Structures are given as structure tokens and as C-alpha cells.
Amino acid sequence: AQSVSQHNHHVILSEAASLELGCNYSYGGTVNLFWYVQYPGQHLQLLLKYFSGDPLVKGIKGFEAEFIKSKFSFNLRKPSVQWSDTAEYFCAVNTASGGSYIPTFGRGTSLIVHP
Amino acid sequence: EPEVTQTPSHQVTQMGQEVILRCVPISNHLYFYWYRQILGQKVEFLVSFYNNEISEKSEIFDDQFSVERPDGSNFTLKIRSTKLEDSAMYFCARERGGRSGELFFGEGSRLTVL
């Protein structure tokens, strides 16, 4: 079965700083990749997803992620963060074949953005 | 707005007590999941539910746990005799399409076992 590692557990930034959150997965076959965000007091919601095609995926609120197959990575980026980006970010993966279609999540990264 | 509603938002219980967490989807869907997150740890899969039956379950989902869809709409996750280590955030989610992996979550139920 696949697994997901998120290396940054806590990230603190000032507004306008650039953001990159790491996500690596372990599975050699075809994968679907996701980033979810959980704002304080709210539910987990999809930020962006990759199924196939262009490995650079753009999501809501200026976020993007790049799938690098050779590195088994799907890092999340944003060029300039805002205070409202303060949230918990989760990377997830599932597979269409071979592995488990059950989405597997990382432990999350807590992002705090200071105004 | 979340596509599934979960109740209660927070429950405090004594060890050994039974707990029922509820999940109400806004519309009819086939695939549902329960996940949990112990504070500071990863979001862990518990069980998936397809067409009113358990589809898959993880090692965590032992005999202490059960899921039902008693009225064809609401889901319940029952923990028969809670343990301290059951303290966690429990999330219900429905899946977009068939096996896409894209999930729509509820707001979660925080369970605290004393």
C-alpha cells in the first residue's frame, strides 16, 4: 500500500513570503495526488488535485503543486502567502490500480502566517 | 458549506462508554469514508462504505467499531467501549465519482475520552 510523508510539520511565515510544503509518497505505479486544506474551525476541503496530464497543477487561492514522478513528490507552493492562508495542509494519494484506491493522508503541516 | 454534516461536533465521554458519531450527507452518494486524526498525527483511514455495506476497513477498525446506515441516509460510527486512545477527530467523507480519491469532508467530530 502507498504511504505519504509531509516533512514540514509546522511552518511559520510572514505575509508575502513564499511557501513550499513538501509531500513525498511511496508507490511505484500510477497515482492520484491531492492537497487538502483545513482552515481553523472548518472542514477539510480540496485545494488541488492531480490525476494525469500537466504535472503543474493550479488550485484555488493561488496555490499550485508540481508532480515530479522521478522524485515521488507533489510539493505545494504559493509565491506570496496571506494571513488568511493560516491553516492545516494535508497531502493525500490514492491509486487507480495496483495499490489501494483508499486515499492515504500525510500527517499534515500547520501553517501560521503572521500579518 | 460541507457536503456532509457531522454530529456531535465535540463529545466528552468516560472510558468504557459507548459513543455514536453521526454523518448526514446532503445528497445521495454511494461511497463514504470514516477517517480519524489523533492530535498531532496523520489522518488515518478507518472504514469505507459502499452501497450500504462495508467495502474496506483498516487494522484500526476492530470489533470495537461498527458502521451502519440505519435509515438509508444517515451514517453512524459506533465505538462500543471507548478507550483513552480513541480520543481523536473523526471525519466522515463522501467520494466524488467512483474511486476518484477526491473526498468531500464533514467538519469532524472531536471525541475526548477521559
Side-chain angles (χ1 to χ4, degrees):
Chain A
Q2 65 271 19
S3 65
V4 178
S5 296
Q6 291 183 243
H7 315 296
N8 318 101
H9 299 154
H10 300 279
V11 174
I12 301 174
L13 295 172
S14 298
E15 274 195 319
S18 64
L19 170 73
E20 180 160 3
L21 301 182
C23 173
N24 286 91
Y25 66 92
S26 64
Y27 182 70
T30 302
V31 293
N32 301 320
L33 295 155
F34 309 86
W35 275 98
Y36 288 85
V37 60
Q38 186 176 29
Y39 298 105
Q42 297 187 27
H43 60 286
L44 277 153
Q45 54 190 289
L46 186 70
L47 200 54
L48 47 77
K49 62 189 177 185
Y50 171 81
F51 287 163
S52 63
D54 189 343
L56 185 61
V57 179
K58 295 193 184 298
I60 60 172
K61 303 187 180 184
F63 286 91
E64 64 179 31
E66 184 175 12
F67 170 48
I68 302 179
K69 190 174 181 178
S70 61
K71 295 184 178 180
F72 299 91
S73 69
F74 190 57
N75 292 353
L76 181 71
R77 299 194 294 248
K78 185 171 183 178
S80 176
V81 295
Q82 300 173 306
W83 174 77
S84 57
D85 293 324
T86 294
E88 191 92 13
Y89 292 82
F90 296 90
C91 182
V93 61
N94 84 326
T95 69
S97 61
S100 173
Y101 57 78
I102 302 294
T104 301
F105 285 77
R107 63 179 291 179
T109 297
S110 173
L111 172 65
I112 296 175
V113 180
H114 290 300
Chain B
E1 288 296 318
E3 294 201 16
V4 293
T5 302
Q6 291 186 245
T7 58
S9 57
H10 189 193
Q11 181 159 355
V12 181
T13 190
Q14 295 292 325
M15 194 169 55
Q17 296 297 305
E18 177 182 279
V19 164
I20 297 176
L21 306 177
R22 292 182 172 81
C23 173
V24 183
I26 291 178
S27 54
N28 287 329
H29 294 281
L30 293 177
Y31 296 98
F32 289 88
Y33 296 80
W34 282 98
Y35 283 83
R36 78 172 184 188
Q37 185 184 26
I38 296 171
L39 187 64
Q41 298 185 27
K42 63 174 60 179
V43 177
E44 301 174 294
F45 166 71
L46 292 176
V47 64
S48 62
F49 208 74
Y50 169 65
N51 204 23
N52 297 327
E53 290 183 356
I54 290 177
S55 176
E56 279 200 29
K57 55 185 180 180
S58 71
E59 294 174 351
I60 303 168
F61 196 85
D62 59 21
D63 292 342
Q64 289 276 79
F65 291 89
S66 63
V67 286
E68 291 180 353
R69 199 174 190 184
D71 58 6
S73 175
N74 302 341
F75 282 91
T76 60
L77 174 68
K78 184 189 293 185
I79 308 174
R80 271 181 258 282
S81 178
T82 52
K83 298 175 280 195
L84 295 176
E85 53 265 38
D86 293 327
S87 295
M89 196 75 169
Y90 289 81
F91 295 104
C92 174
R94 71 103 174 155
E95 187 169 25
R96 177 179 181 155
R99 297 296 178 242
S100 68
E102 183 178 344
L103 300 179
F104 295 91
F105 285 87
E107 294 182 343
S109 293
R110 180 170 297 284
L111 175 64
T112 301
V113 183
L114 302 176

